[in-house]
Amino acid sequence: MAEGNNWGLDGAVVAVAGAAGPAGRAALLRLAEAGATVFAADADAARLAEAVDAARYAHGGATVIGDTVDLLDLGATRDWADRIEKEYGHVDGLVHLVGGWRGSATFAETDLDDWTLLEKLLIRTVQHTSLAFQAGLERSARGRFVLVSAAGATKPTAGNAAYGAAKAAAEAWTLALADAFGKAGGGDGSRAAATILIVKALVHDAMRAERPNAKFAGFTDVKDLAEAIAGVWDKPASEVNGIRQWLTPQP
């Protein structure tokens, strides 16, 4: 823990939802490097095991634990949060990296089945993780809920109506959680914080290898995203609660 305050990740216990993808892998590595105990959840057990093993291997002695959790089941999500806090005595963070994308060529061609899927992936999992972890994060001296969102929530394009609307709803839900954290802090201010990191899109080494001539303008590297996630614990709750931090130029 950072000297003289209740911030920092050393000794923190942080859960990562949607940990098996490239962004999740980068986050696990960075959180473990910072000294956190990390609980990683994903629906894909095989990919999750690979991500957990990679983080453990990169940082010998790091505690990184993989859990296959159905985040569309509120009861299962609550059980996960309760188990973490019971085992370690505190839970200091939830990083939401559950993703998904569906789009169309035009607004008129929007398939509402895309909305059905994205509502589950991008909204329902935010609802369940926030409800499951809120109380534990409020009990922590450095509780943080981190949502990764997209610029499309602020300026949706015609072919991304479902995606943009889902991301916007997830942001609104997270800001409501931030308000709850602020109210829980009373006159002393919030100890816990809910914050939003906004990207245009993400890029990683494998994408660059597949498309060596692509510029990926405005994209955020997953390693830079992981650094920004870790940085949320470097500031007091009052400076990050309810804040939308842009990691790409704001439209």
Side-chain angles (χ1 to χ4, degrees):
M1 189 179 299
E3 184 179 350
N5 56 51
N6 291 328
W7 320 329
L9 280 163
D10 188 27
V13 176
V14 180
V16 179
R25 286 178 176 239
L28 296 186
L29 287 168
R30 183 66 185 87
L31 293 168
E33 178 187 42
T37 294
V38 188
F39 282 81
D42 201 276
D44 190 323
R47 292 178 69 212
L48 177 62
E50 291 176 2
V52 167
D53 286 346
R56 288 174 178 165
Y57 179 79
H59 302 290
T63 302
V64 184
I65 300 163
D67 286 314
T68 305
V69 182
D70 182 4
L71 298 176
L72 294 176
D73 182 329
L74 179 57
T77 309
R78 288 191 190 276
D79 287 344
W80 182 46
D82 291 345
R83 187 168 67 250
I84 294 171
E85 188 174 11
K86 182 178 179 180
E87 183 170 347
Y88 282 87
H90 55 100
V91 59
D92 307 299
L94 185 287
V95 179
H96 187 279
L97 293 172
V98 180
W101 178 83
R102 292 291 188 277
S104 57
T106 67
F107 181 83
E109 293 174 271
T110 298
D111 185 345
L112 290 180
D113 286 342
D114 292 346
W115 170 259
T116 301
L117 173 66
L118 293 173
E119 185 273 335
K120 292 177 181 178
L121 293 175
L122 304 183
I123 304 173
R124 189 67 64 181
T125 58
V126 173
Q127 293 172 328
H128 288 175
T129 52
S130 59
L131 290 169
F133 281 86
Q134 177 192 3
L137 296 178
E138 286 178 349
R139 285 187 286 269
S140 167
R142 47 179 163 171
R144 302 288 186 270
F145 184 95
V146 183
L147 175 73
V148 177
S149 189
T154 299
K155 190 175 181 180
T157 57
N160 283 302
Y163 178 77
K167 281 293 192 181
E171 287 195 17
W173 187 275
T174 301
L175 294 175
L177 175 63
D179 186 56
F181 283 152
K183 286 182 168 62
D188 296 332
S190 175
R191 293 198 310 170
T195 196
I196 301 168
L197 304 178
I198 303 175
V199 302
K200 174 183 177 181
L202 295 173
V203 63
H204 51 86
D205 290 344
M207 288 174 63
R208 290 193 177 93
E210 291 172 2
R211 300 170 59 192
N213 296 322
K215 296 188 181 300
F216 299 106
F219 284 41
T220 300
D221 191 283
V222 292
K223 291 187 282 294
D224 294 329
L225 174 63
E227 194 65 36
I229 290 170
V232 172
W233 277 266
D234 289 338
K235 297 178 180 179
S238 60
E239 293 186 15
V240 293
N241 191 40
I243 298 300
R244 301 167 77 240
Q245 179 181 341
W246 286 81
L247 305 183
T248 189
Q250 184 171 348

